[in-house]
Amino acid sequence: DANVYAALDLLATMVAVVGPDGSLLYVNAMLETVAGLSRRTLMRGSLLEWFADPQPMRDTLAAVVRNEV
């Protein structure tokens, strides 16, 4: 639920809450502004799409899920 993350919109830092598969669960207003895309558009995609080589990010997400980071 977006209300859980509402305070993140007050930050001047870009924030993305990402699922284990790279899906974007939430992006804050600053990320929306910097990307020049709506929150809805950003959240339809995957964080992995932002990288030329997504494997390091996949590995990092997997490590976070395993609580290794």
Side-chain angles (χ1 to χ4, degrees):
D1 182 38
N3 291 330
V4 173
Y5 305 115
L8 297 177
D9 275 332
L10 302 176
L11 297 175
T13 304
M14 296 181 293
V15 176
V17 178
V18 183
D21 62 351
S23 61
L24 292 161
L25 306 176
Y26 180 82
V27 297
N28 75 343
M30 183 56 72
L31 180 54
E32 215 178 341
T33 299
V34 171
L37 297 168
S38 72
R39 184 172 293 171
R40 183 174 290 177
T41 298
L42 288 165
M43 290 177 58
R44 275 194 291 240
S46 167
L47 176 70
L48 301 174
E49 296 168 358
W50 299 357
F51 297 91
D53 178 9
Q55 193 57 50
M57 182 55 72
R58 272 193 198 99
D59 295 342
T60 300
L61 291 171
V64 169
V65 168
R66 293 187 307 267
N67 202 26
E68 295 177 353
V69 187

